[in-house]
Amino acid sequence: MPAASTTLRMLAVSVIASLTVTGCQTFEDAGSAMGRSDLVNDLAARLDRALELTYSADYQLPGGQTAAIVQAQDPARSAYTYPGGRLTVTPDAVTRCTATGGRMACTLVAPPSPGSKPTVALFTEANRQGLVTPPVVVGLLTAAALDPQAVIKQSDTTVAGHHAACVEVQRSDGDFSACVTTEGVLGSFLGSVDGKPRELALSAYSETVEETAFDPPAGAGVVDRRPGGQ
């Protein structure tokens, strides 16, 4: 399973478990607690189900920049493309690519051990460059659900032609809004990540994936740092 899948599943389970144990104790109003629990669990479940899908999602970032998330199954693979780089996770390797002097330079390292929890640093560069990954959104929802002072509002919209459920969250730690499509794909995000403003919106969605989606970019320089790599 790709690192992204493992991370998101761990976070989703954490959301559900935390709310089951502490929901009625955390919020003074039991009805409010149940509403928050249902909302977070539904969005987390949608994101979790999407990990078992094959799809390509393109995103529009501020300033005309773009990003993309691609997933495929059997075997499970994922790729995150963002301004200036790409992160790819397959059963064979974790590949980090960075634009250097007009050319992509890629480094291959060993993939996470099967069943192990990947490090948060795996997604750091993608988040830093503007691609807010689903695990980050789940983490923000978890924190909001466990914050008795948070104000959470729900709405529905259409993103890139797909119906999506949205939440608008107001917290002392920072406001954000996020939408998740019926398929479970991150539809949009507006808020702060690691103290920096981030914004993205789904611009295209497809249930097909190109064969070369998980290969290093054409013409990229590749350094293999896996044990036994050349």
Side-chain angles (χ1 to χ4, degrees):
M1 180 177 292
S5 299
T6 304
T7 299
L8 190 49
R9 289 182 184 280
M10 291 291 290
L11 286 169
V13 170
S14 175
V15 171
I16 296 169
S18 297
L19 290 171
T20 300
V21 174
T22 67
C24 293
Q25 299 174 351
T26 302
F27 306 114
E28 296 179 359
D29 185 320
S32 174
M34 180 59 69
R36 296 181 186 216
S37 174
D38 289 345
L39 179 58
V40 171
N41 287 343
D42 178 64
L43 294 183
R46 290 190 189 190
L47 289 169
D48 186 54
R49 286 194 300 269
L51 298 174
E52 301 176 357
L53 300 177
T54 293
Y55 74 86
S56 302
D58 295 331
Y59 293 92
Q60 187 68 46
L61 306 180
Q65 295 183 309
T66 61
I69 297 176
V70 180
Q71 288 186 179
Q73 310 300 322
D74 301 322
R77 294 153 289 163
S78 58
Y80 301 81
T81 302
Y82 42 86
R86 178 195 288 184
L87 169 69
T88 304
V89 185
T90 72
D92 298 322
V94 170
T95 305
R96 296 184 178 89
C97 299
T98 303
T100 303
R103 182 188 181 196
M104 280 288 186
C106 300
T107 301
L108 280 64
V109 298
S113 300
S116 66
K117 184 177 180 179
T119 62
V120 175
L122 186 65
F123 303 101
T124 298
E125 187 62 22
N127 295 325
R128 182 183 296 124
Q129 298 301 328
L131 176 56
V132 182
T133 56
V136 169
V137 177
V138 174
L140 290 172
L141 288 171
T142 303
L146 298 177
D147 181 355
Q149 303 302 319
V151 177
I152 303 176
K153 299 179 181 179
Q154 182 180 13
S155 62
D156 295 280
T157 190
T158 300
V159 183
H162 295 262
H163 178 267
C166 305
V167 288
E168 180 180 343
V169 178
Q170 297 177 353
R171 297 186 64 214
S172 59
D173 287 349
D175 303 344
F176 73 90
S177 61
C179 296
V180 179
T181 71
T182 302
E183 295 84 357
V185 176
L186 180 61
S188 66
F189 178 86
L190 175 63
S192 179
V193 176
D194 295 333
K196 296 183 178 180
R198 291 287 177 257
E199 180 179 0
L200 61 76
L202 184 68
S203 59
Y205 173 81
S206 173
E207 295 181 353
T208 61
V209 173
E210 294 185 5
E211 291 293 331
T212 59
F214 308 100
D215 297 337
V222 179
V223 176
D224 192 345
R225 293 184 176 173
R226 294 173 295 178
Q230 301 296 321

